[in-house]
Amino acid sequence: MKHFAKLIRTIDSTNKTNEKVNALAEYFNIANDSDKLWAIAILSHRRPKRPVNTTLLREWATEQSGIPLWLFEESYHIVGDLAETIALILPKTTKESDKSLSQVIAEIISLREMDDASKKAYLHENWMNMSYYERFIFNKIITGGFRIGVSQKLMTRALSKSTGIDEDILAYKLMGDWTPVSTTYTQLIEEENPSDYLSKPYPFYLAYAVEDGFQESMGEISNWSFEHKWDGIRAQVILRNNEVFVWSRGEELVTDKYPEFQRFLDHIPNGTVLDGEILPFPDGRIGDFRDLQTRIGRKNISKNLLAKTPVILVAYDLLEWQGEDIRNKPFSFRRKILDAMIAKLNSESIGLFLSSTMRFEKWESAAEERKRSREKRSEGLMIKRIDSSYQVGRKKGDWWKWKVDPFTIDAVLTYAMRGHGRRANLYTDYTFGLWDNGELVTFAKAYSGLTDKELREIDAWIKKNTLERFGPVRSVTPHHVFEIAFEGIAKSSRHKSGVATRFPRILRWRRDKKIDEANTLSDLKDLIPK
Amino acid sequence: MKHPLLVFNEKGIYCQQADVYIDAWRAVDKCIVTHGHSDHSRWGHKRYITHRRNVPIIKHRLGDITVTPKEWNETFTINGVTFSLHPAGHITGSSQVRVEYKGEVWVFTGDYKVEDDGLAETFEPIKCQTFITECTFGLPAFKWEPQADVFTDINNWWATNKAEARTSVLFGYSLGKAQRLIKHLDTSIGKIYTHGAVEKMTQVIRAEYDLPPTELITRDSKKEDIAGNIVIAPPSAHGGIWIRKMLPYVTATASGWMAFRGARRRRAMDKGFVLSDHADWDGLLSAIKETGCEKVITTHGYTDIFSRYLREELGYDARTEKTQYEGELNEIETEKEEEA
Ligand SMILES: [Zn+2]
């Protein structure tokens, strides 16, 4: 526990990826196999089942702290994390745990079987025998959701550093349904498996956003190929040795989440790697990103979900063909093979679509096409140099994205909520309303986009113009108009306004506008793509 | 009904009987000022009354003002009301204000902390009936470690950075936090360099307090000389081109808000030390208890939560008044910093 707590403390106190990796690798070097296995499990979100519900946890923690429950709840709201709040409000200790990580977890697992009185006694005793960070980790393991700024990717890199095993192979080994109870460190990590190399993806090539007036520096437009920019999950689909592997852009193996692509096996030859976008495809047409979110979050994909929100792959590049890495060949060459391969298949029946390429003679025509992005359900255009190789990472020069401008609407500030942590004294989270029959109907929440100076000014105004308080939320006199930008819009039955927006944010404070000049809900609905 | 000794009006905390304000946020004729932070000592009053050791600080910030200096515990009477200043332990020269009229005693804390920081005059508990207290960190989630432990961490951090041939850049508000850091840095590790705003304020404070030597970073400072040493700078200097001279460097900030993981991680700093010039939860509670007061008024911070706790759990007659004091928020980022 001591080492693991030190590790998390180090990770917490740096924002440098390299230092995090080093600290993790250091931990993997010194920890024993069962601690290592549990550390890997926890950091890849394989935690033991929650042994105590959070209501009891709060009660018992407040009891030990001698504070009333309402004060705990207020503190929790401000701190923003249950495990951290409990660790903070408990009486201070100078003790350190002498148990190992795996021992503590074994105890947490067996806690499930105990009665409430024994659970409480166990927690009270252990809380008072741990340092602050040990307490925090202990609570995190109990409550679940161990998100501490370490992605699976980062952990895999550290493990690779410590073991000398290739990162992508480790990623493959760490896939699937294992738990520290069902396997050992040796079985999971160290034993060689001939299929380990099969899944290996290529690093993704990423485009830069164009800047205003970019057309002038692009040279001949005939050197460029255009496509729509699809708004889904960037992915590589790999077919090798009669197996399919799906990697997302975070270079995470997500094969299990998209069983649809298993169908490719009967139609696409081994030794093929496709680069493309996973898009939701409900009712036989491209859906919006919110549909996809229901798929991303799930570990288990039910039949029901598959039927309701199927996905397709819109392919736009070919990285490997007949077992050969063709990334150094020109884009036009790679696309010729890809286009021909897909043309031969009845590909749409297996959920494989082609991202069509376009050529333009004038930038004006390209701009016209970009304007059609929203009706085509794309985010704008991709511009790729026809003779470009497939490079590694984000590189300037050959691939560009030319996104559509965000939607914007003028809305009225109606509610404000306190921020968290350092901003806990400031009202930083806002709710905005649009007019509908003389009433303001909430349509979005947004927080980012104001300067510190504006934030303090609006905060002071909110404190003076509060109508009602509901815990941390205040309703305010409708007075200020803000221009809100957002990326996507769709009908939604879950929102009171009947509309859901994607990435809403404050674009600017419209001090020049009075509230009756703000937009109406029907103005907003007019923006929904038909 | 009797008029309260102190009221909160649109200009500040006002004593009608004496026609004097305390820490007014709008320009007034006569104002008692607790300390030099900009939310407590505003510009534009006709006359200032403050502790002798705060005089050079506010003169440095506010320029040519008319100010009457006072000593600790020195009483002065205005129209029958007796005032005196007592150490608040917040920053150098920071005071609480004691106000007495016809046997009734009120104390206003300004900003304060109860731990002796080895530089500011130590907080002195004053008996009173009504205690007007800040509660910037009035939540049970805030519990400070002893200062000695925090400075061990800070000095270890510096030594480690130095061993890795990196310069340590430590951010703290230029009045108060910066001098407290400077005071307790272990100069056997290396030299202390300063940003302009910090250096100017430190020079002002040096007149009355013993501080280790510091060196201002100027255009002529050599990169090689700075390397591996520590640089104390105001938070507003973070992200400026000024910092490039320190490359390769590691950044840290020292603030009470760093108690929260979220705050530490959002701050785009390499490290966060939990070090505050305000009282923590236990500090606030012990300070209130020691006054022996019956009434408590909370002014800034988690005022509603804290006064509810005092009322419901401890049985005080506690309420909240609106003020324009900002506590440590102000000490993290402020535009005033640039002109200091
Ligand atoms: Zn202050």
Side-chain angles (χ1 to χ4, degrees):
Chain A
M1 203 60 177
K2 217 176 285 178
H3 293 307
F4 194 65
K6 192 176 161 225
L7 166 69
I8 301 303
R9 195 182 161 179
T10 312
I11 289 173
D12 247 7
S13 65
T14 179
N15 53 18
K16 294 207 161 65
T17 308
N18 268 344
E19 283 178 20
K20 289 184 187 178
V21 171
N22 288 344
L24 276 160
E26 179 65 16
Y27 178 80
F28 290 132
N29 286 342
I30 56 167
N32 67 38
D33 280 2
S34 54
D35 283 359
K36 266 193 277 196
L37 189 61
W38 267 114
I40 295 167
I42 288 168
L43 295 173
S44 59
H45 311 298
R46 290 173 172 83
R47 61 178 185 86
K49 283 208 175 97
R50 182 179 292 177
V52 185
N53 70 45
T54 55
T55 311
L56 286 174
L57 214 53
R58 288 145 121 119
E59 265 174 36
W60 296 341
T62 49
E63 210 173 287
Q64 195 159 26
S65 316
I67 61 167
L69 198 57
W70 69 262
L71 183 54
F72 179 87
E73 296 301 337
E74 290 278 7
S75 306
Y76 174 28
H77 170 75
I78 290 158
V79 177
D81 180 280
L82 184 63
E84 186 182 357
T85 309
I86 294 174
L88 285 168
I89 57 114
L90 288 168
K92 283 172 89 163
T93 67
T94 48
K95 301 231 173 75
E96 276 195 340
S97 172
D98 47 20
K99 296 173 187 171
S100 70
L101 175 65
S102 41
Q103 185 189 346
V104 168
I105 293 174
E107 288 174 4
I108 290 173
I109 292 171
S110 61
L111 205 57
R112 273 176 69 80
E113 312 303 322
M114 293 187 206
D115 58 37
D116 282 356
S118 318
K119 285 179 184 177
K120 180 170 149 183
Y122 173 82
L123 290 173
H124 278 182
E125 191 201 323
N126 280 273
W127 275 332
M128 294 315 290
N129 280 299
M130 288 180 180
S131 68
Y132 167 74
Y133 256 92
E134 290 168 344
R135 230 183 224 176
F136 167 65
I137 291 158
F138 179 70
N139 295 342
K140 273 284 180 198
I141 296 169
I142 291 173
T143 57
F146 210 92
R147 284 173 218 292
I148 50 143
V150 176
S151 62
Q152 178 142 355
K153 167 115 183 106
L154 209 143
M155 183 199 54
T156 315
R157 195 190 305 171
L159 194 58
S160 165
K161 197 172 169 174
S162 163
T163 59
I165 303 170
D166 183 278
E167 234 178 288
D168 294 333
I169 292 167
L170 281 173
Y172 174 67
K173 284 169 181 279
L174 294 177
M175 274 177 62
D177 286 337
W178 66 273
T179 73
V181 182
S182 70
T183 185
T184 65
Y185 180 79
T186 316
Q187 273 175 357
L188 184 72
I189 303 296
E190 289 175 345
E191 284 175 7
E192 284 248 359
N193 183 336
S195 69
D196 286 353
Y197 292 84
L198 272 181
S199 75
K200 212 169 147 43
Y202 296 102
F204 286 85
Y205 180 22
L206 308 172
Y208 261 93
V210 296
E211 280 160 23
D212 285 344
F214 71 98
Q215 292 92 334
E216 286 167 25
S217 56
M218 298 288 274
E220 286 292 312
I221 195 169
S222 58
N223 291 333
W224 299 94
S225 168
F226 295 78
E227 290 165 54
H228 275 278
K229 181 181 184 318
W230 306 106
D231 180 20
I233 300 168
R234 179 82 183 272
Q236 274 177 49
V237 176
I238 297 173
L239 291 104
R240 289 181 193 136
N241 205 19
N242 297 319
E243 272 199 81
V244 177
F245 305 94
V246 184
W247 289 84
S248 72
R249 207 203 82 188
E251 287 168 53
E252 273 181 280
L253 201 43
V254 289
T255 314
D256 301 345
K257 288 192 177 175
Y258 305 104
E260 284 97 336
F261 302 135
Q262 295 300 328
R263 285 178 296 183
F264 291 6
L265 270 182
D266 301 330
H267 305 274
I268 301 174
N270 278 311
T272 302
V273 176
L274 298 163
D275 181 16
E277 201 85 5
I278 298 175
L279 293 178
F281 205 65
D283 314 317
R285 56 184 293 209
I286 296 174
D288 73 88
F289 196 84
R290 278 179 333 117
D291 296 322
L292 205 50
Q293 252 141 11
T294 63
R295 293 285 302 264
I296 295 170
R298 304 284 168 84
K299 258 224 146 103
N300 299 312
I301 308 297
S302 67
K303 273 205 179 115
N304 211 340
L305 187 60
L306 270 178
K308 211 174 140 223
T309 315
V311 297
I312 56 168
L313 182 76
V314 177
Y316 37 66
D317 214 327
L318 183 66
L319 313 185
E320 183 176 305
W321 179 241
Q322 295 173 338
E324 189 194 337
D325 175 1
I326 58 168
R327 289 176 299 155
N328 280 327
K329 306 267 195 222
F331 176 68
S332 54
F333 175 87
R334 303 195 304 272
R335 277 301 301 238
K336 204 181 273 174
I337 306 177
L338 178 68
D339 292 14
M341 179 190 87
I342 290 184
K344 264 193 264 168
L345 294 171
N346 183 7
S347 76
E348 297 191 357
S349 68
I350 58 166
L352 176 60
F353 288 64
L354 194 62
S355 174
S356 319
T357 52
M358 296 169 283
R359 304 292 287 271
F360 296 104
E361 284 172 13
K362 289 186 308 219
W363 284 103
E364 291 73 35
S365 329
E368 282 302 311
E369 182 62 29
R370 174 171 168 260
K371 281 194 192 138
R372 285 190 280 273
S373 297
R374 290 227 154 94
E375 63 196 65
K376 299 212 163 160
R377 302 223 159 213
S378 89
E379 285 188 289
L381 295 183
M382 290 295 303
I383 311 174
K384 298 175 179 176
R385 196 185 285 279
I386 52 171
D387 59 359
S388 59
S389 63
Y390 190 93
Q391 298 166 48
V392 171
R394 200 177 293 281
K395 294 271 157 58
K396 264 196 179 150
D398 288 349
W399 281 22
W400 299 96
K401 52 186 176 191
W402 189 14
K403 285 176 90 163
V404 286
D405 298 327
F407 294 102
T408 61
I409 201 144
D410 293 333
V412 181
L413 174 67
T414 50
Y415 295 92
M417 198 167 99
R418 279 199 299 245
H420 286 303
R422 189 175 63 93
R423 295 227 180 271
N425 263 354
L426 284 174
Y427 284 82
T428 58
D429 298 14
Y430 310 122
T431 301
F432 296 95
L434 294 170
W435 293 110
D436 187 35
N437 293 321
E439 260 183 84
L440 284 167
V441 177
T442 294
F443 99 99
K445 284 187 179 147
Y447 53 96
S448 56
L450 292 179
T451 63
D452 275 1
K453 192 174 165 222
E454 287 174 324
L455 207 60
R456 290 157 74 94
E457 192 181 336
I458 193 76
D459 173 74
W461 182 87
I462 288 164
K463 285 171 182 162
K464 286 187 205 119
N465 292 278
T466 299
L467 295 176
E468 276 181 283
R469 297 179 185 208
F470 321 90
V473 179
R474 294 178 179 213
S475 65
V476 297
T477 320
H479 182 76
H480 290 296
V481 178
F482 289 84
E483 187 174 348
I484 309 298
F486 47 96
E487 295 299 320
I489 180 166
K491 275 187 209 155
S492 164
S493 55
R494 284 185 315 175
H495 292 75
K496 198 180 166 195
S497 62
V499 179
T501 53
R502 188 160 172 236
F503 296 142
R505 59 197 185 269
I506 300 167
L507 201 59
R508 70 191 123 230
W509 187 350
R510 296 299 305 257
R511 295 175 201 250
D512 56 319
K513 290 211 168 180
K514 298 217 163 55
I515 55 169
D516 53 6
E517 295 173 78
N519 284 107
T520 64
L521 190 57
S522 77
D523 294 337
L524 180 72
K525 286 181 175 162
D526 286 343
L527 299 174
I528 299 173
K530 300 284 166 340
Chain B
M1 207 188 93
K2 199 179 68 163
H3 199 74
L5 189 49
L6 296 175
V7 295
F8 294 76
N9 68 24
E10 71 289 349
K11 291 180 179 170
I13 303 177
Y14 182 56
C15 177
Q16 193 183 37
Q17 178 66 28
D19 191 20
V20 161
Y21 278 88
I22 306 174
D23 284 2
W25 46 84
R26 296 225 190 118
V28 298
D29 282 348
K30 196 186 284 183
C31 191
I32 299 170
V33 163
T34 59
H35 68 288
H37 283 145
S38 58
D39 51 332
H40 292 262
S41 53
R42 305 273 177 141
W43 190 83
H45 307 317
K46 282 197 183 123
R47 280 187 57 203
Y48 293 76
I49 301 167
T50 195
H51 189 267
R52 177 174 58 82
R53 288 187 149 173
N54 188 36
V55 170
I57 296 171
I58 56 171
K59 279 199 163 169
H60 172 72
R61 281 203 41 248
L62 304 175
D64 190 20
I65 53 168
T66 308
V67 53
T68 313
K70 299 287 174 191
E71 297 293 332
W72 305 123
N73 294 300
E74 177 189 342
T75 56
F76 51 102
T77 304
I78 307 171
N79 197 23
V81 185
T82 305
F83 295 88
S84 55
L85 304 180
H86 306 267
H90 172 55
I91 61 171
T92 55
S94 66
S95 315
Q96 308 173 72
V97 183
R98 183 182 183 276
V99 186
E100 180 176 2
Y101 182 65
K102 292 184 176 170
E104 191 181 335
V105 180
W106 291 45
V107 168
F108 170 58
T109 63
D111 292 338
Y112 70 103
K113 70 170 174 294
V114 293
E115 188 186 22
D116 177 5
D117 73 5
L119 183 65
E121 298 76 8
T122 313
F123 177 85
E124 182 190 324
I126 311 291
K127 294 279 175 222
C128 61
Q129 284 112 30
T130 303
F131 190 53
I132 306 172
T133 178
E134 66 133 323
C135 54
T136 304
F137 293 106
L139 277 187
F142 293 106
K143 293 182 184 129
W144 310 148
E145 296 293 333
Q147 160 169 309
D149 293 355
V150 181
F151 277 103
T152 304
D153 284 352
I154 293 176
N155 283 312
N156 285 343
W157 170 77
W158 178 16
T160 310
N161 296 336
K162 188 172 189 188
E164 292 167 358
R166 292 187 291 187
T167 302
S168 305
V169 184
L170 181 53
F171 293 96
Y173 192 59
S174 58
L175 168 57
K177 190 66 63 61
Q179 291 76 36
R180 185 178 175 193
L181 294 170
I182 289 166
K183 175 81 184 171
H184 298 288
L185 287 171
D186 179 355
T187 48
S188 70
I189 301 170
K191 263 173 84 170
I192 305 170
Y193 281 88
T194 48
H195 177 277
V198 168
E199 184 61 26
K200 277 185 212 154
M201 192 51 88
T202 305
Q203 291 309 342
V204 171
I205 289 170
R206 257 182 217 291
E208 293 278 348
Y209 301 84
D210 182 29
L211 291 168
T214 52
E215 189 170 329
L216 174 68
I217 294 181
T218 65
R219 207 169 293 157
D220 305 325
S221 305
K222 289 210 179 67
K223 214 178 153 180
E224 314 81 80
D225 295 340
I226 301 170
N229 291 308
I230 198 163
V231 181
I232 308 296
S236 57
H238 188 233
I241 46 166
W242 171 84
I243 203 171
R244 285 193 209 142
K245 200 163 214 158
M246 275 45 105
L247 275 168
Y249 61 80
V250 190
T251 55
T253 191
S255 158
W257 296 111
M258 294 299 124
F260 291 169
R261 291 180 69 245
R264 284 199 296 277
R265 289 170 56 190
R266 268 195 294 274
R267 252 275 356 121
M269 297 266 183
D270 301 318
K271 199 158 175 76
F273 297 105
V274 187
L275 188 74
S276 177
D277 292 323
H278 296 264
D280 66 357
W281 175 254
D282 293 333
L284 291 168
L285 292 179
S286 74
I288 291 168
K289 196 168 168 216
E290 286 198 68
T291 64
C293 68
E294 292 133 32
K295 290 189 181 168
V296 181
I297 299 171
T298 57
T299 54
H300 55 297
Y302 296 101
T303 48
D304 293 346
I305 298 172
F306 191 57
S307 63
R308 179 177 169 193
Y309 179 80
L310 294 175
R311 232 175 11 249
E312 294 184 4
E313 301 298 316
L314 304 180
Y316 286 97
D317 174 359
R319 65 188 164 92
T320 292
E321 288 282 357
K322 260 189 203 171
T323 67
Q324 293 190 10
Y325 311 133
E326 296 165 322
E328 199 161 316
L329 278 177
N330 182 46
E331 287 151 40
I332 282 191
E333 51 207 341
T334 167
E335 295 155 70
K336 295 259 160 40
E337 197 76 55
E338 315 297 344
E339 64 196 48

